[in-house]
Amino acid sequence: MSALLQVEGLSKRYWRGDRDFSALDGISFSIAPGETLALVGPSGSGKSTVARILLRLVEPDAGSIRFNGEELLGLRGAALRATRTKLQMVFQDPLAAFNPRATVARLIDDPLRIHGIVGRADRPKAIAALLERVGLAAELASRRVHEISGGQRQRVAIARALATRPALIVLDEALSALDVLVRGDILNLLAELQRDEGVAYLFISHDLGAVRAVAHRIAIMDSGRIVEEGDAAAVIAAPASATGRALVAATPELPVFPRLPVFKETVS
């Protein structure tokens, strides 16, 4: 099966005072359609830098990113905007990422309007359908972001990401601010959406319990490099890298979350 996302040799350096440091040092990975790859590692390992580069919020110093067969880093203007409909992101804290005084309807309306997905007359119905798709009542549309719970906000963020019918959603520590019961609910939702919509995920997290439930494969990062990659359950059960062993040792009692269906590649 052809990769949906193919990252090759991605590098990024930053300056801190009069010294520079490597945030990413030639990393490579791929994600197939409908697959979940978890990117894990200690703080400062480069995970969020990967997410920002994929969304073209930061430009890399070197490397290639092919998405849906196109070189993402070569896209500009209208071509980049069109590609962004298929590549969406869910942030760690929607309250910080969005205007907290905006209504839920406004948040979901924006991608529908900006990308011309649904006409003005049909947008209220589309917003209601998206809210219901993520397990929220349509009546929530009139509420402001700061008036709803953290779990509801994250579901709204997922509904907004789904509005453009993406092929890949990047989830950057999207569950870390939620309590364990809400995390289980969101993991169930992600599994359901993947099963029904065929969406792929890049799941960035330090929560190995959630990773074990949601990921088909795992890539462990340290100091801007991928130091281990493989089947998620196998890597967590017996990590081969020192970083992997340290991460597992720091989480001695992994919570039990529902497991995503096994990903199977099909011959195209």
Side-chain angles (χ1 to χ4, degrees), residues 107-131:
L107 288 182
I108 301 176
D109 181 85
D110 282 346
L112 296 174
R113 173 180 52 82
I114 291 169
H115 296 291
I117 294 168
V118 180
R120 173 185 254 179
D122 294 325
R123 286 205 292 267
K125 184 177 178 181
I127 291 167
L130 283 164
L131 288 174

Side-chain angles (χ1 to χ4, degrees), residues 186-196 201 214 259-261:
I186 298 296
L187 287 170
N188 274 325
L189 172 62
L190 293 175
E192 179 186 337
L193 293 171
Q194 189 167 64
R195 183 183 64 243
D196 295 347
Y201 300 125
V214 80
R259 181 88 170 110
L260 276 182

Side-chain angles (χ1 to χ4, degrees), residues 126-157:
I127 291 167
L130 283 164
L131 288 174
E132 291 171 2
R133 186 72 187 85
V134 297
L136 295 174
E139 291 75 20
L140 202 74
S142 61
R143 302 276 295 278
R144 297 186 185 277
V145 175
H146 71 88
E147 296 174 336
I148 62 178
S149 71
Q152 289 173 323
R153 283 195 292 268
Q154 206 58 294
R155 286 175 184 264
V156 168

Side-chain angles (χ1 to χ4, degrees), residues 150-202:
Q152 289 173 323
R153 283 195 292 268
Q154 206 58 294
R155 286 175 184 264
V156 168
I158 294 170
R160 177 185 165 101
L162 289 173
T164 61
R165 305 183 188 100
L168 174 65
I169 298 178
V170 178
L171 299 116
D172 188 6
E173 297 285 5
L175 308 183
S176 63
L178 305 175
D179 66 48
V180 67
L181 293 178
V182 176
R183 267 182 282 166
D185 289 342
I186 298 296
L187 287 170
N188 274 325
L189 172 62
L190 293 175
E192 179 186 337
L193 293 171
Q194 189 167 64
R195 183 183 64 243
D196 295 347
E197 313 289 343
V199 63
Y201 300 125
L202 177 60

